[in-house]
Amino acid sequence: MTTSTSGLRDHLGYWLRRLSDEVHGRFERELAEHDVTVSQWSVLITVHRGDATTTREVARYLGIDAGAVSRLVDRLVAKELMTREPDPASRRTLRLALTETGRDLAPRLAEIADRNDAHFFAGLDPVQRRQLEDWIRHLTGEAHPEPPTPPTS
């Protein structure tokens, strides 16, 4: 049977999703050895690097719902990887901070992320890799014109 209707494998979105699933799945399995999910790692590394320090800032930075971030933080607090501390400048604000265990673990998890990227993208030379990243950033920027804002001091 011949048809002019496009098929599943004719769509770039299908291939991007397949790649994303492969990259995410491998990373998830590696992180599981440390009892951390990819979503939890996203929060952990964001706070570790100082890209955001409150639940609301993390949510904005990651482009996800603040309630979801709060639940992720709850799990990280329960695992003794993160704490919520009062902000001396505002009684209503709680700052996120890593525990000593969280500070020790974050760089090790970042190394796993780096190895995972290398596993999937080592076949690209540095210029190709940068081009791919630029194209993806451009396309996601088109879909979401307001980029995450940096945390306020």
Side-chain angles (χ1 to χ4, degrees):
M1 171 186 241
T2 306
T3 179
S4 62
T5 304
S6 63
L8 176 65
R9 293 180 178 199
D10 296 322
H11 295 275
L12 184 56
Y14 166 78
W15 293 109
L16 288 171
R17 184 57 175 178
R18 286 257 325 253
L19 176 61
S20 175
D21 288 349
E22 292 289 325
V23 172
H24 181 93
R26 185 175 188 277
F27 189 38
E28 190 80 55
R29 288 187 298 277
E30 294 277 331
L31 291 178
E33 295 177 16
H34 299 277
D35 192 30
V36 174
T37 67
V38 172
S39 296
Q40 292 167 0
W41 174 79
S42 297
V43 173
L44 193 70
I45 199 67
T46 297
V47 173
H48 175 73
R49 289 177 37 88
D51 294 322
T53 60
T54 68
T55 299
R56 180 168 291 166
E57 289 172 356
V58 170
R60 193 176 314 122
Y61 187 82
L62 297 177
I64 61 176
D65 179 71
V69 172
S70 184
R71 290 184 295 277
L72 291 166
V73 171
D74 288 344
R75 290 182 193 109
L76 291 166
V77 168
K79 293 177 182 187
E80 299 182 352
L81 297 174
M82 184 172 283
T83 62
R84 290 181 173 101
E85 300 174 353
D87 183 344
S90 170
R91 294 185 319 183
R92 299 179 67 196
T93 302
L94 292 175
R95 295 277 170 205
L96 303 176
L98 300 186
T99 63
E100 184 176 343
T101 303
R103 284 190 303 275
D104 290 343
L105 184 60
R108 294 191 346 238
L109 299 181
E111 289 174 7
I112 293 170
D114 293 342
R115 284 194 309 270
N116 195 59
D117 268 13
H119 175 81
F120 286 98
F121 304 110
L124 301 175
D125 68 44
V127 171
Q128 291 171 322
R129 181 185 165 105
R130 184 61 193 186
Q131 286 174 330
L132 177 60
E133 184 179 333
D134 287 346
W135 292 333
I136 292 170
R137 284 175 185 257
H138 173 74
L139 291 170
T140 57
E142 292 293 326
H144 307 285
E146 293 185 38
T149 55
T152 56
S153 299

